[in-house]
């Protein structure tokens, strides 16, 4: 399990650096990468890479849905949406969470709620308030971005689909399930 933790942190670091690079050198003002994803489909190799990424993420989403069955539906929706839009940085975060919840138990890691009661994250009141404020800020930033691109369809779709799951996830941290408070 230690190896999986190391790999997950390496993925987060690599993808985090790449996200900073995109933010600095390209920005998110053109639809959070959706236009680039679509634009690359004209090249056979880029189309192959795009499809390889998406099908790999579908495998991950299938495992997550299987592992989280019996949990709160809105949590599963948030995880799936985040994974399908933001990719492997979210996969790595979920793997870290699953490893923590399993506490070293392989069956708990792979099967989750099917074999064990998963421990709830303890989120401090300050972290919940900060998450709620951050959700409001991301919402405002998203709306400003949409206005800035003049409601261009692809860019607007990218903003909505890219940042709505971030906002939803932040709200779920701010207002966790009753048993997690």
């Amino acid at each position: 399990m230690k190896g999986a933790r190391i790999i997950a942190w390496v993925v987060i670091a690599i993808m985090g650096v790449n996200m900073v690079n995109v933010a600095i050198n390209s920005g998110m003002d053109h639809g959070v990468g959706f236009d680039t994803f679509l634009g690359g489909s004209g090249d056979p190799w880029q189309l192959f890479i795009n499809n390889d990424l998406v099908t790999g993420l579908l495998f991950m989403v299938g495992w997550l849905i299987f592992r989280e069955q019996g949990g709160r539906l809105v949590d599963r929706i948030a995880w799936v949406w985040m994974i399908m839009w933001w990719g492997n940085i979210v996969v790595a975060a979920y793997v870290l969470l699953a490893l923590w919840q399993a506490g070293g138990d392989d069956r708990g890691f792979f099967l989750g709620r099917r074999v064990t009661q998963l421990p709830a994250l303890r989120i401090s009141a300050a972290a919940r308030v900060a998450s709620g404020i951050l959700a409001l800020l991301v919402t405002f930033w998203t709306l400003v971005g949409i206005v800035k691109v003049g409601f261009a369809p692809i860019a607007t779709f990218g903003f909505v689909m890219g940042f709505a799951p971030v906002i939803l996830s932040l709200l779920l941290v701010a207002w966790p399930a009753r048993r997690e408070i």
Side-chain angles (χ1 to χ4, degrees):
M1 296 277 190
K2 184 178 181 180
R5 279 186 185 87
I6 292 169
I7 291 169
W9 281 114
V10 167
V11 167
I12 288 171
I14 290 169
M15 295 309 296
V17 168
N18 277 302
M19 284 180 137
V20 169
N21 179 47
V22 165
I24 291 170
N25 294 310
S26 180
M28 307 229 178
D29 296 341
H30 48 86
V32 197
F34 188 63
D35 58 339
T36 305
F37 180 81
L38 291 176
S41 63
D43 177 272
W45 272 111
Q46 189 60 54
L47 182 61
F48 176 85
I49 292 166
N50 289 354
N51 285 317
D52 185 54
L53 168 69
V54 170
T55 54
L57 294 175
L58 287 172
F59 272 115
M60 178 61 198
V61 163
W63 172 61
L64 181 144
I65 291 168
F66 172 82
R67 187 178 184 278
E68 293 291 330
Q69 194 163 11
R72 204 166 53 156
L73 177 62
V74 70
D75 293 334
R76 283 180 289 178
I77 290 169
W79 276 112
V80 168
W81 198 352
M82 287 284 286
I83 286 172
M84 291 311 294
W85 195 270
W86 293 102
N88 286 310
I89 194 166
V90 180
V91 168
Y94 182 78
V95 166
L96 288 172
L97 175 65
L99 287 166
W100 173 78
Q101 288 174 328
D105 175 28
D106 291 345
R107 287 177 40 106
F109 173 75
F110 287 106
L111 301 176
R113 296 179 192 283
R114 294 175 177 275
V115 296
T116 187
Q117 175 82 19
L118 298 178
L121 288 174
R122 299 286 178 214
I123 303 167
S124 71
R128 290 185 9 237
V129 168
S131 185
I133 291 169
L134 192 54
L136 289 173
L137 292 172
V138 173
T139 301
F140 177 74
W141 186 82
T142 301
L143 292 172
V144 167
I146 291 170
V147 170
K148 187 176 175 183
V149 298
F151 297 93
I154 291 177
T156 298
F157 180 81
F159 272 109
V160 171
M161 294 304 289
F163 288 110
V166 173
I167 295 163
L168 174 60
S169 297
L170 289 167
L171 291 174
L172 290 173
V173 170
W175 289 283
R178 282 264 183 220
R179 64 173 173 53
E180 296 175 4
I181 294 178

